[in-house]
Amino acid sequence: MPLDDLSSVRTVDELTAAAAGLDLTPGWVNRPVPILWKEPKSDFRVHQWKWSVARAGLDSAARLIGTDLAERRNLIMRNPIPGNDLATLRTLICAYQTILPGETARSHRHTPHAFRAILESQGAWSIVNGEKHPMETGDVVLTPGWSWHGHGHDGDAQAYWFDGLDVPLTHLLEPMFFEEHPAGLEPVRAVTPDSPFRFTWGATQKALDETRPDDGGFFGRRIALDTQTMPTIGIHMQRWQSGFRSRPYRCTANQIFVVMQGHGASQIGGEAIDWSFGDTIAVPGWTSIEHHAKDDAVLVSMTDEFLQRWTKYWRFESLA
């Protein structure tokens, strides 16, 4: 029988073997890993990165590595699962980054969408598509995909921030492009402190003041920042008063929490996690979450929730 002629096979075993030789996988054979399963599961783990540890690493990097040698001076938060050398969660990646007074980080652009939550900064700035705006402590700054962006620092003290991107999702879908700016640092066309890509600490706190706690008791006071220009990443700012304890829940979205103020403890996937300023916590989808604020706390979270809502994959479940 010719290799590609399946018309004359006489048994199921012959058909199975012949199909396999043609890179066809019969759907009737038992598979070690099923195609479908009852509910979400992830190889990625709940994990916490402590800011006190990462900050010390960034300080060492600032002594040892200049921006002339590194496109960005950062420490990527790699989820500790076998075979993973990059991703924080399935669709998301995050890092801590620093820049010294007087430095610039040259401009580039790439397909992945990105944002920054500024942990400590006075005098740092970003240029996005030729428009320069500040990056001050507490700000959230967007960089939509394929936007030129570079950074600099005119202040007196080292600046630090959290980076969040959808690089793993871009790797999965494969539309990756990257380009360095021919001028090194993109020239400034305009200075725009009120850039639509910048959400200041003062503005988000005012919005939280004007927002009621959610009726379900899951999130406290929470607002969604406008990320329509980068729809694969959702960003929430949430505030919890001292003593706040959320109702437990789980949802299909991957979520990463960054502590901007305060300290507390969470039960995530049955694991007790104490957190404080600057810490980052990665939570894979369909993992139980319960938060407790030990004093007034503000957190930023990034999520693929809005992408999942658009694809009709989103599901939420109260656990109490």
Side-chain angles (χ1 to χ4, degrees), residues 249-272:
Y249 72 93
R250 62 182 178 178
C251 67
T252 51
N254 294 290
Q255 299 183 83
I256 296 171
F257 296 91
V258 187
V259 184
M260 303 298 287
Q261 178 180 295
H263 77 284
S266 299
Q267 285 284 333
I268 301 180
E271 181 179 346

Side-chain angles (χ1 to χ4, degrees), residues 104-125:
T104 58
R106 55 190 180 270
S107 298
H108 61 212
R109 60 182 177 178
H110 42 66
T111 304
H113 301 296
F115 85 99
R116 281 167 290 288
I118 312 304
L119 298 174
E120 301 177 38
S121 173
Q122 288 184 320
W125 44 265

Side-chain angles (χ1 to χ4, degrees), residues 73-258:
R73 188 194 286 116
N74 59 18
L75 292 172
I76 297 170
M77 293 176 238
R78 176 185 61 82
N79 197 284
I81 60 173
N84 177 50
D85 66 352
L86 192 71
T88 307
L89 288 174
R90 178 65 67 189
T91 60
L92 304 171
I93 187 173
C94 53
Y96 291 117
Q97 185 171 164
T98 189
I99 191 169
L100 291 172
E103 285 186 330
T104 58
R106 55 190 180 270
S107 298
H108 61 212
R109 60 182 177 178
H110 42 66
T111 304
H113 301 296
F115 85 99
R116 281 167 290 288
I118 312 304
L119 298 174
E120 301 177 38
S121 173
Q122 288 184 320
W125 44 265
S126 184
I127 304 172
V128 180
N129 290 335
E131 297 190 352
K132 179 180 177 180
H133 59 75
M135 296 194 300
E136 297 289 304
T137 299
D139 289 355
V140 172
V141 176
L142 309 184
T143 306
W146 210 236
S147 298
W148 291 115
H149 57 285
H151 315 301
H153 192 2
D154 296 334
D156 298 323
Q158 189 170 344
Y160 308 84
W161 60 79
F162 165 95
D163 285 316
L165 303 91
D166 63 354
V167 167
L169 178 65
T170 311
H171 285 171
L172 178 65
L173 300 177
E174 299 185 336
M176 179 65 79
F177 294 91
F178 172 81
E179 185 177 358
E180 295 181 348
H181 198 282
L185 184 67
E186 182 185 12
V188 177
R189 292 187 292 102
V191 178
T192 55
D194 297 323
S195 167
F197 299 145
R198 180 191 181 207
F199 301 87
T200 68
W201 177 259
T204 55
Q205 296 314 298
K206 183 175 184 294
L208 287 168
D209 288 340
E210 297 169 352
T211 300
R212 290 183 53 199
D214 70 292
D215 292 336
F218 299 104
F219 308 113
R221 295 180 185 267
R222 187 174 75 150
I223 58 171
L225 304 187
D226 183 356
T227 58
Q228 294 182 70
T229 56
M230 34 187 283
T232 57
I233 298 177
I235 303 172
H236 290 103
M237 184 77 76
Q238 47 223 327
R239 182 197 292 159
W240 303 326
Q241 288 185 317
S242 177
F244 169 80
R245 188 180 296 276
S246 70
R247 290 178 59 196
Y249 72 93
R250 62 182 178 178
C251 67
T252 51
N254 294 290
Q255 299 183 83
I256 296 171
F257 296 91
V258 187

Side-chain angles (χ1 to χ4, degrees), residues 29-40:
V29 300
N30 291 325
R31 298 172 57 85
V33 178
I35 298 173
L36 306 172
W37 43 87
K38 184 178 179 180
E39 63 180 19

